[in-house]
Amino acid sequence: MSETAVPDGNKLVFELKNGKVVIELRPDLAPLAVERLKLLASEGFYDGVKFHRVIEGFMAQGGDPTGTGTSGSNYPDLKAEFTDKAKFERGTLGMARTMAPHSANSQFFIMFQDVPSLNGQYTIAGKVIEGMEYVDQIKRGAGSSGMVKDPDTIVKAYVEA
C-alpha cells in the first residue's frame, strides 16, 4: 500500500490534449470509489493513461495502465456502491467493473449521453462540471467493443479543492 495522502478536494481534473475536464466527485454517493480516484490521481497513476474503450453515443473508458481494459491498480478491488440517488446521465463518471459487482478498481467511464439501463448497476463517483466539450472530442473506437487504435490519453490528472 502507498503512503500517499489522499487530497482533500472533491474536484478531479483530467488535462486532455484539447483542454481541461473538471469532475465534481460525489463522496456522498461513493466514498470508497472517490477516495480511490483521488489517491490514484495524487500518485500520478492516471497520467498518460489511455482512453482504451470509447463508444460513440455511449461512453469513454479509461483508467487501465496497460491500455487493454484488463488491468487496474495494485490496490484491492472496491465494494460496489450502487445508488438510486443519481442517474447515468451525460457527463456522469462511473466506475468500470467486470460482471462481478465488487470488481471496480481504477477504471472509470464518462457518459456521452443518458443511459438509464446502467442506473443501479454501476457505482457513480462524480459528474463533469466543466470541459464536457473536451470529453466529446476523445477519439472513438471501432465496432461494438469500442477498442481504440492509437487512443487519446489523460495528459495529467490531479485533485483540486
Side-chain angles (χ1 to χ4, degrees), residues 14 43-44 71 91 100 106 119 144:
F14 290 151
E43 290 179 345
S71 187
S106 63
N119 294 341
S144 60

Side-chain angles (χ1 to χ4, degrees), residues 26-32 34 81-87 123-126:
R26 297 285 310 268
D28 58 314
L29 299 178
L32 300 175
V34 165
E81 298 175 283
F82 303 157
T83 184
D84 59 3
K85 293 180 176 65
K87 302 204 177 315
T123 297
I124 293 175

Side-chain angles (χ1 to χ4, degrees), residues 82-137:
F82 303 157
T83 184
D84 59 3
K85 293 180 176 65
K87 302 204 177 315
F88 277 94
E89 303 167 333
R90 176 170 163 75
T92 297
L93 180 134
M95 296 301 290
R97 62 173 177 83
T98 66
M99 294 302 286
H102 307 295
S103 61
N105 186 293
S106 63
Q107 291 190 48
F108 60 86
F109 56 94
I110 301 173
M111 305 302 297
F112 289 128
Q113 66 184 37
D114 300 4
V115 181
S117 63
L118 298 183
N119 294 341
Q121 304 295 313
Y122 291 82
T123 297
I124 293 175
K127 188 160 188 182
V128 174
I129 57 168
E130 183 185 314
M132 191 62 198
E133 66 271 26
Y134 305 122
V135 174
D136 288 336
Q137 295 170 23

Side-chain angles (χ1 to χ4, degrees), residues 36-112:
R36 175 67 53 86
L37 289 164
K38 289 167 49 170
L39 175 66
L40 292 174
S42 69
E43 290 179 345
F45 179 88
Y46 291 121
D47 298 354
V49 167
K50 299 171 171 77
F51 283 98
H52 64 273
R53 182 172 178 246
V54 185
I55 301 173
E56 180 64 46
F58 183 33
M59 57 89 217
Q61 183 172 331
D64 173 2
T66 69
T68 62
T70 61
S71 187
S73 75
N74 290 326
Y75 294 105
D77 288 348
L78 298 167
K79 182 179 178 297
E81 298 175 283
F82 303 157
T83 184
D84 59 3
K85 293 180 176 65
K87 302 204 177 315
F88 277 94
E89 303 167 333
R90 176 170 163 75
T92 297
L93 180 134
M95 296 301 290
R97 62 173 177 83
T98 66
M99 294 302 286
H102 307 295
S103 61
N105 186 293
S106 63
Q107 291 190 48
F108 60 86
F109 56 94
I110 301 173
M111 305 302 297
F112 289 128

Side-chain angles (χ1 to χ4, degrees), residues 5-27:
V6 176
D8 286 339
N10 276 323
K11 289 190 178 138
L12 177 62
V13 178
F14 290 151
E15 289 182 4
L16 307 183
K17 68 179 183 184
N18 294 325
K20 183 167 104 167
V21 177
V22 180
I23 298 151
E24 184 167 22
L25 296 172
R26 297 285 310 268

